[in-house]
Amino acid sequence: EPEVTQTPSHQVTQMGQEVILRCVPISNHLYFYWYRQILGQKVEFLVSFYNNEISEKSEIFDDQFSVERPDGSNFTLKIRSTKLEDSAMYFCASSGGPFNEQFFGPGTRLTVL
Amino acid sequence: AQTVTQSQPEMSVQEAETVTLSCTYDTSESDYYLFWYKQPPSRQMILVIRQEAYKQQNATENRFSVNFQKAAKSFSLKISDSQLGDAAMYFCAYNHVNTGNQFYFGTGTSLTVIP
């Protein structure tokens, strides 16, 4: 069964460093998403991406964040200058259409020291 | 603003028994979608069940069913004949076209199944 994959599973970085979180969505999906979950809190929407552009973003997704689909398979989330409060689990998701089930990846745990 | 509330941080159920997880939401929309996702320990979230708000009939998926009360904005999940593999974190989620397909999640309910 096709699934969303994410790498790395755990990323440790120093405050102020740039990180890139990688996701491989399900191959025939057209809609891509990033969510994050700070420990003990709810899963929060960051951004949705369709047709090679951002279709929606939340207040969390400020200028420090960017997304890219550099090739036909990868979908990346970049944080330019990480802050302590960026420490969280980051989930990638994809879907075949709007309002369809979103398939989630296993997450990347980001720890900012 | 859309909010999703899960008032039970933790629940437990005896194996083979039935448990109900609560979820309420707040929206001014009339047409939307509701989901229950399951997240086993150290594994990714998977969809358990989906409900379209325009459908009056409650969704059912094998041992999983929902009690959708649109007027009360309530969307509870019932798990019948609980199995050890049902132990997980369960998230309720809301989705509507005006939210740009983003999901709004509750804080989750951690379900323990007691053998």
Side-chain angles (χ1 to χ4, degrees), chain A residues 6 19 28 55 59 65 75 77-79 87 89 103 106 110:
Chain A
Q6 290 184 243
V19 294
N28 61 348
S55 51
E59 295 174 348
F65 291 88
F75 179 52
L77 174 69
K78 182 194 288 186
I79 309 175
S87 295
M89 182 74 89
F103 290 79
L110 176 65

Side-chain angles (χ1 to χ4, degrees), chain A residues 35 45 99 101-102 104-105, chain B residues 37 44 50 95 101-103:
Chain A
Y35 292 83
F45 170 78
F99 321 120
E101 170 189 356
Q102 291 186 14
F104 286 81
Chain B
Y37 276 85
Q44 57 234 71
R50 177 177 185 261
N95 170 248
N101 306 324
Q102 64 178 277
F103 279 18

Side-chain angles (χ1 to χ4, degrees), chain B residues 21-37:
Chain B
L21 308 184
S22 301
C23 173
T24 59
Y25 57 94
D26 184 27
T27 183
S28 57
E29 305 294 342
S30 59
D31 194 13
Y32 46 87
Y33 300 80
L34 295 163
F35 305 79
W36 277 100
Y37 276 85

Side-chain angles (χ1 to χ4, degrees), chain A:
Chain A
E1 187 173 331
E3 59 182 23
V4 177
T5 59
Q6 290 184 243
T7 54
S9 57
H10 191 189
Q11 174 87 49
V12 180
T13 189
Q14 294 290 327
M15 188 171 58
Q17 295 296 303
E18 174 184 287
V19 294
I20 297 177
L21 310 184
R22 292 182 166 78
C23 168
V24 179
I26 293 173
S27 61
N28 61 348
H29 283 182
L30 302 175
Y31 295 80
F32 313 112
Y33 312 85
W34 282 102
Y35 292 83
R36 80 171 186 191
Q37 184 181 27
I38 295 172
L39 186 64
Q41 299 185 24
K42 63 174 65 178
V43 176
E44 301 172 290
F45 170 78
L46 292 177
V47 65
S48 60
F49 191 86
Y50 169 71
N51 199 26
N52 284 320
E53 60 182 24
I54 291 173
S55 51
E56 188 79 12
K57 60 183 181 179
S58 71
E59 295 174 348
I60 303 167
F61 195 87
D62 61 23
D63 292 343
Q64 294 299 311
F65 291 88
S66 62
V67 290
E68 194 177 30
R69 192 157 159 79
D71 53 43
S73 59
N74 290 285
F75 179 52
T76 62
L77 174 69
K78 182 194 288 186
I79 309 175
R80 288 188 184 81
S81 179
T82 50
K83 303 186 284 286
L84 295 176
E85 54 264 38
D86 293 328
S87 295
M89 182 74 89
Y90 288 80
F91 293 102
C92 172
S94 69
S95 67
F99 321 120
N100 287 18
E101 170 189 356
Q102 291 186 14
F103 290 79
F104 286 81
T108 293
R109 180 169 296 285
L110 176 65
T111 302
V112 182
L113 302 175

Side-chain angles (χ1 to χ4, degrees), chain B residues 4 13 33 84 86 107:
Chain B
V4 178
V13 62
Y33 300 80
L84 296 178
D86 295 334
T107 50

Side-chain angles (χ1 to χ4, degrees), chain B residues 34-54:
Chain B
L34 295 163
F35 305 79
W36 277 100
Y37 276 85
K38 169 185 175 182
Q39 186 182 35
S42 302
R43 295 183 62 185
Q44 57 234 71
M45 282 192 283
I46 55 175
L47 181 69
V48 175
I49 202 163
R50 177 177 185 261
Q51 174 82 43
E52 292 93 340
Y54 65 85

